[in-house]
Amino acid sequence: MTLETSIEYVKGIGPERAKLIRSILGMTTVEDLLNFYPIRYLDKSKIYKVSRLHEASQEIQLKGRISQVQEIQNGKTKRLSAKFSDDTGTMDLVWFQYSKWLKEQLPVGREVYIFGKVNFFNGQFSMPHPEIEAEEKKENDNRLKPIYPSSEKLVKRGLNQRFFQVVLKNICKEIPELIQENLPGYITKAFGFLSRQHTYLNIHFPKDTEHAEKADHRLKFEESFFFQLGYGLKKRHHKTHSRGNPFPVIGKHFTDFYDHCLPFDLTGAQKRVLKEIRQDMKKPVQMNRLLQGDVGSGKTMVALLTMLIAMDNGFQSCLMAPTETLAQQHYNGIKDLLQDTPVNVRLLTGSTKASERKIIHQELESGELSILVGTHAILEDKVKFHKLGLAVIDEQHRFGVAQRAKLWAKNSIPPHILVMTATPIPRTLAMSFYSDLDVSVIDEMPVGRKPIITAHRREKDRTYVYNFCRDEIKKGRQVYFVYPLIEESETLDYKNLMEGLEHVMDAFSDYNVSMLHGRMKPDEKDAAMNYFASGKAEIMVATTVIEVGVNVPNASVMVIESAERFGLSQLHQLRGRVGRGAEQSYCILMTSDKLTTESRTRIRTMTETNDGFKISEVDMQLRGPGDILGTQQSGVVDFKKLDLVKDSAIIKTTKKAVEKILDKDPLLSLPEHQLIKSYYLRYYRGKNKWSKIS
Ligand code: ADP
Ligand code: MG
């Protein structure tokens, strides 16, 4: 047997079951099975009592006797049922699919252990498809029995816990031949790890709880370690191999702007981040920096100043936003700020007119145009720069890696990349996922901002909420009403919005209402935006199109309808549309009366904190890291054991360990690192194409 051996040759499996396992669980080799870890262990010393069951869908073991086996015909379907009694009570056992053999072989009357998940139905507990073991077989068993991930489908086809336990027992006998060490002795020793062979033995058949935990810990460590190693190698490779244009100069454009046009003092955090960026761009190595900063923390100004540095060094820049509205707004803002300077800025989006487009193309190629703001349109092949030195990408999670790569190709030496995101990423996630990027954080809001007051209100409070809005409008402020986007049904979504609009128009018939939604054409959107931004409309009714970046400082109230339907990061983004001016701002979360535990947690988190990082931590706990990063990237955090929420300590430790190794031995050429290297090359190289070690 080797790790590559097909599972059909494992004792106890055979071709038929191998096929099933392949199709249901996607496992094909002995190695796959070895890495099919138990989700938990059943303590065999623990036996539940029928009368004391109080929780459904938990896997448990009971001891007692089976009686009254009978087949029950129900229309076309048949099921097998039996009673199970211990000294405290009786419950039903039921099989929806079963063989004649099972029906005849049920050990009626004898003392047995049954094992499975209990259901609670019609006030009674029952256990579907229990596994049954006669008592005498149990004596010389382990005390901790592995429980593997299972499903009804598997169990019905006979691939139950017992099956996996037997199969893995057979495989585990071969561990001395199968499993090789992959960490150097000094690490296993320093961390007090089990050997790798003992790790596998104990993850499947632990000697005791302590050994199970040790095995678990080492497997987590390994996952994190090799993942970090991959990123570490990538980063180092990048820093030594990828050329970039050095920007050594701080020149006239930057200085003039800084001294004469800056409308406010930079916050300490903005200054610090700018310094970090500047240090990066001085070097002849491409910068890859992630700029994280909460909504309203002033990322745009940092981007603009960075672009001016590029200009001082003879390079062009572009700023790319995910939507037309946002691009337009960036353009307007930047144009305003630069109005007393000779800097040439233009906007390129899908709806840019051909005549303007022509000018842009010409000025880009001649080098006359210094800053191009736009959408994906910038990525088109026709768009050629004279010397692109810096690309700023706003709201990174909406752009794919492939699109970023297109930007790289726009200059013979790739431009520096600054990615800005207002979705704060939990620290552990940033540490593992973004360890290929350098991260700068703006963790300070401009002075004078008042924290937004957030309240949770229900339908019965609607009149009160409307009166509150009216009072704010009387003070000269503006109000947003936002309706959720129901992705499955755009039509329903639209209907919601229209009803909402009518409702708001009725209630505020003495005011002007503007409306913005995704179906509108770009110029309609602009018109709607301007109607509100110019102050002509007191109220904006919108779907989540306004989520990203929209900036109307005079708006002080954000009413989010059906707030329970929004995710946390979305709520936070929406809330960030207010609180942009000097006035006290409010966010009102309207929900129905009935809330799930999860939506209640979301709403409570919103009312308790304005801190984007805290919110993202809660979000990650609720949804898991994959969802936070988006489907595109969720594969990256597809760990078997490692939990990015709970295992932050392990992630930290491995990161340190990896850095120490790579500092000392960047190509993994020392003898003590050969185990790491060969394991890495075997398992990880394919996944990280960039890695150049051999
Ligand atoms: P975000 O980080 O969400 O993109 P913006 O760059 O849009 O934030 O900035 C939000 C608002 O704060 C803008 O109106 C901007 O002009 C203002 N602003 C940015 N930096 C400062 C500062 N240092 N002091 C005062 N206001 C600032
Ligand atoms: Mg922004």
Side-chain angles (χ1 to χ4, degrees):
M1 194 187 282
T2 67
L3 290 174
E4 289 85 14
T5 302
S6 163
I7 51 174
E8 72 174 279
Y9 303 114
V10 174
K11 206 172 145 216
I13 299 187
E16 282 307 305
R17 287 169 159 173
K19 233 193 198 157
L20 271 178
I21 295 176
R22 201 171 303 137
S23 72
I24 301 177
L25 294 168
M27 299 193 289
T28 58
T29 63
V30 164
E31 182 165 32
D32 292 339
L33 276 171
L34 265 172
N35 290 324
F36 186 57
Y37 305 128
I39 34 175
R40 57 191 191 87
Y41 305 93
L42 182 72
D43 186 345
K44 295 200 91 171
S45 59
K46 180 141 192 169
I47 294 166
Y48 284 76
K49 294 291 185 191
V50 172
S51 68
R52 258 157 258 156
L53 294 177
H54 56 85
E55 200 182 343
S57 65
Q58 185 196 5
E59 273 164 323
I60 55 162
Q61 171 177 261
L62 302 120
K63 183 180 176 184
R65 289 171 208 277
I66 297 177
S67 61
Q68 298 177 42
V69 180
Q70 54 174 324
E71 275 183 298
I72 297 171
Q73 192 81 33
N74 187 357
K76 271 192 190 143
T77 61
K78 235 180 6 182
R79 64 178 198 270
L80 185 67
S81 135
K83 299 274 176 216
F84 175 86
S85 321
D86 63 11
D87 49 8
T88 70
T90 298
M91 70 178 196
D92 285 335
L93 305 182
V94 55
W95 292 262
F96 299 101
Q97 270 177 23
Y98 54 94
S99 60
K100 189 163 162 259
W101 182 85
L102 177 82
K103 189 174 74 184
E104 285 160 8
Q105 295 300 312
L106 279 178
V108 176
R110 270 198 293 153
E111 181 118 279
V112 291
Y113 289 86
I114 64 163
F115 164 79
K117 265 187 191 170
V118 280
N119 279 346
F120 188 69
F121 186 68
N122 273 348
Q124 282 201 308
F125 285 100
S126 64
M127 189 182 281
H129 296 265
E131 288 178 35
I132 300 166
E133 256 179 68
E135 178 171 32
E136 52 276 16
K137 277 178 69 185
K138 294 178 49 100
E139 300 305 330
N140 49 9
D141 234 344
N142 293 55
R143 208 174 65 85
L144 289 177
K145 192 158 128 179
I147 305 298
Y148 292 95
S150 177
S151 68
E152 207 168 316
K153 205 162 160 190
L154 284 169
V155 174
K156 275 185 187 164
R157 311 265 185 123
L159 304 184
N160 53 19
Q161 293 299 336
R162 180 81 163 277
F163 166 79
F164 284 109
Q165 284 155 9
V166 169
V167 163
L168 273 147
K169 194 121 233 180
N170 290 336
I171 293 176
C172 282
K173 283 182 197 138
E174 314 277 335
I175 276 181
E177 272 72 54
L178 291 173
I179 297 292
Q180 262 108 54
E181 192 47 71
N182 63 2
L183 293 172
Y186 74 87
I187 287 191
T188 27
K189 220 162 146 191
F191 291 99
F193 288 147
L194 297 176
S195 73
R196 194 145 183 268
Q197 296 186 350
H198 277 107
T199 300
Y200 273 93
L201 271 176
N202 278 286
I203 204 69
H204 290 289
F205 301 99
K207 211 170 126 195
D208 50 36
T209 315
E210 192 196 327
H211 278 76
E213 276 163 15
K214 280 193 149 181
D216 184 69
H217 186 249
R218 169 158 179 165
L219 289 172
K220 285 177 169 173
F221 185 96
E222 280 183 21
E223 268 189 321
S224 179
F225 181 89
F226 285 99
F227 181 80
Q228 305 272 2
L229 187 71
Y231 268 128
L233 286 167
K234 178 180 180 181
K235 203 162 168 175
R236 269 155 221 263
H237 181 259
H238 179 85
K239 293 227 155 126
T240 44
H241 287 76
S242 83
R243 291 186 306 152
N245 293 299
F247 292 174
V249 181
I250 290 282
K252 195 170 159 31
H253 293 292
F254 181 94
T255 324
D256 278 355
F257 180 83
Y258 199 92
D259 292 344
H260 306 298
C261 309
L262 207 60
F264 38 68
D265 291 334
L266 294 187
T267 62
Q270 282 171 317
K271 283 186 194 157
R272 173 174 45 77
V273 163
L274 202 62
K275 208 178 273 170
E276 288 166 2
I277 292 172
R278 205 170 124 44
Q279 291 305 325
D280 259 15
M281 296 196 308
K282 268 187 194 166
K283 297 175 202 149
V285 177
Q286 186 202 24
M287 171 175 78
N288 259 297
R289 193 166 273 280
L290 178 73
L291 176 56
Q292 284 197 58
D294 218 335
V295 198
S297 61
K299 295 183 290 295
T300 317
M301 184 51 81
V302 171
L304 176 58
L305 290 165
T306 306
M307 294 195 283
L308 292 175
I309 297 177
M311 197 177 167
D312 279 336
N313 287 275
F315 284 88
Q316 296 165 297
S317 310
C318 65
L319 191 165
M320 207 161 78
T323 63
E324 291 226 15
T325 320
L326 238 192
Q328 177 79 50
Q329 205 178 277
H330 271 312
Y331 174 72
N332 296 346
I334 287 174
K335 198 149 178 57
D336 269 2
L337 286 165
L338 293 176
Q339 62 187 347
D340 298 328
T341 72
V343 182
N344 186 4
V345 196
R346 285 185 191 276
L347 174 70
L348 178 66
T349 70
S351 53
T352 302
K353 295 207 180 66
S355 53
E356 169 73 6
R357 207 173 266 262
K358 207 169 144 203
I359 299 174
I360 291 175
H361 287 180
Q362 276 167 3
E363 289 190 356
L364 271 185
E365 288 194 54
S366 70
E368 276 166 83
L369 185 58
S370 302
I371 297 179
L372 180 64
V373 178
T375 56
H376 293 76
I378 295 180
L379 296 174
E380 286 167 18
D381 292 334
K382 290 176 294 200
V383 182
K384 294 195 183 76
F385 291 82
H386 173 59
K387 273 168 93 181
L388 179 64
L390 168 71
V392 182
I393 307 176
D394 198 8
E395 299 302 338
Q396 177 269 344
H397 58 291
R398 306 226 174 170
F399 288 105
V401 174
Q403 289 171 321
R404 246 195 282 172
K406 268 194 144 177
L407 274 175
W408 285 39
K410 291 230 177 247
N411 205 58
S412 56
I413 293 178
H416 296 297
I417 305 275
L418 182 66
V419 168
M420 305 195 292
T421 172
T423 313
I425 293 148
R427 245 163 280 273
T428 49
L429 210 53
M431 239 163 49
S432 44
F433 183 69
Y434 283 117
S435 43
D436 66 322
L437 295 175
D438 294 300
V439 180
S440 288
V441 182
I442 306 187
D443 49 6
E444 181 187 348
M445 286 290 175
V447 285
R449 289 274 167 81
K450 297 194 181 78
I452 301 160
I453 296 174
T454 302
H456 176 200
R457 296 284 177 263
R458 296 163 197 267
E459 209 43 54
K460 64 175 163 46
D461 310 316
R462 188 167 288 278
T463 319
Y464 165 81
V465 170
Y466 281 3
N467 286 339
F468 178 80
C469 292
R470 199 164 282 123
D471 289 345
E472 282 294 301
I473 294 172
K474 277 183 200 143
K475 286 189 220 156
R477 317 271 181 272
Q478 290 164 281
V479 178
Y480 290 103
F481 283 88
V482 177
Y483 290 80
L485 200 102
I486 305 154
E487 270 169 29
E488 309 90 67
S489 158
E490 218 186 302
T491 326
L492 193 62
D493 181 31
Y494 190 65
K495 191 170 156 266
N496 259 359
L497 179 73
M498 287 308 161
E499 281 174 12
L501 178 69
E502 264 174 44
H503 208 267
V504 172
M505 280 172 118
D506 273 355
F508 296 88
S509 53
D510 38 343
Y511 293 114
N512 294 320
V513 180
S514 175
M515 179 177 66
L516 189 64
H517 62 82
R519 281 190 182 181
M520 288 160 62
K521 298 209 181 71
D523 50 337
E524 294 172 337
K525 278 189 201 165
D526 281 351
M529 224 20 249
N530 284 335
Y531 190 34
F532 185 66
S534 65
K536 288 193 193 102
E538 289 86 359
I539 296 170
M540 165 71 92
V541 175
T543 55
T544 44
V545 257
I546 62 147
E547 177 189 337
V548 198
V550 168
N551 193 16
V552 179
N554 189 48
S556 71
V557 186
M558 165 65 64
V559 182
I560 304 178
E561 299 283 352
S562 304
E564 70 269 34
R565 294 236 285 268
F566 290 89
L568 260 179
S569 69
Q570 230 181 351
L571 289 172
H572 182 60
Q573 284 289 323
L574 285 170
R575 177 167 62 183
R577 298 309 109 214
V578 294
R580 313 202 127 223
E583 306 308 328
Q584 176 63 56
S585 291
Y586 305 88
C587 174
I588 302 173
L589 306 170
M590 298 292 296
T591 73
S592 61
D593 288 335
K594 277 200 192 129
L595 293 179
T596 62
T597 323
E598 200 189 304
S599 43
R600 206 169 304 133
T601 308
R602 285 198 300 261
I603 302 288
R604 182 165 16 87
T605 306
M606 287 298 293
T607 54
E608 280 171 2
T609 182
N610 275 302
D611 180 339
F613 281 95
K614 271 192 201 143
I615 291 174
S616 74
E617 296 280 347
V618 177
D619 201 22
M620 183 160 90
Q621 280 160 19
L622 291 176
R623 293 195 300 157
D627 274 346
I628 297 211
L629 294 173
T631 44
Q632 230 171 32
Q633 288 140 348
S634 61
V636 182
V637 288
D638 215 357
F639 296 111
K640 279 196 149 75
K641 277 273 170 201
L642 193 69
D643 180 327
L644 293 175
V645 180
K646 293 181 191 137
D647 298 326
S648 58
I650 294 180
I651 293 172
K652 254 181 235 164
T653 315
T654 47
K655 194 175 161 80
K656 252 191 227 149
V658 164
E659 268 165 13
K660 213 161 142 190
I661 290 173
L662 290 180
D663 281 347
K664 185 172 156 197
D665 186 14
L667 294 176
L668 301 179
S669 42
L670 294 175
E672 65 263 37
H673 294 145
Q674 293 321 294
L675 289 176
I676 301 180
K677 181 166 164 179
S678 55
Y679 186 84
Y680 174 77
L681 289 177
R682 173 170 175 176
Y683 291 97
Y684 288 81
R685 186 166 54 170
K687 296 180 189 167
N688 295 323
K689 291 193 201 82
W690 33 263
S691 166
K692 289 291 186 326
I693 67 161
S694 54

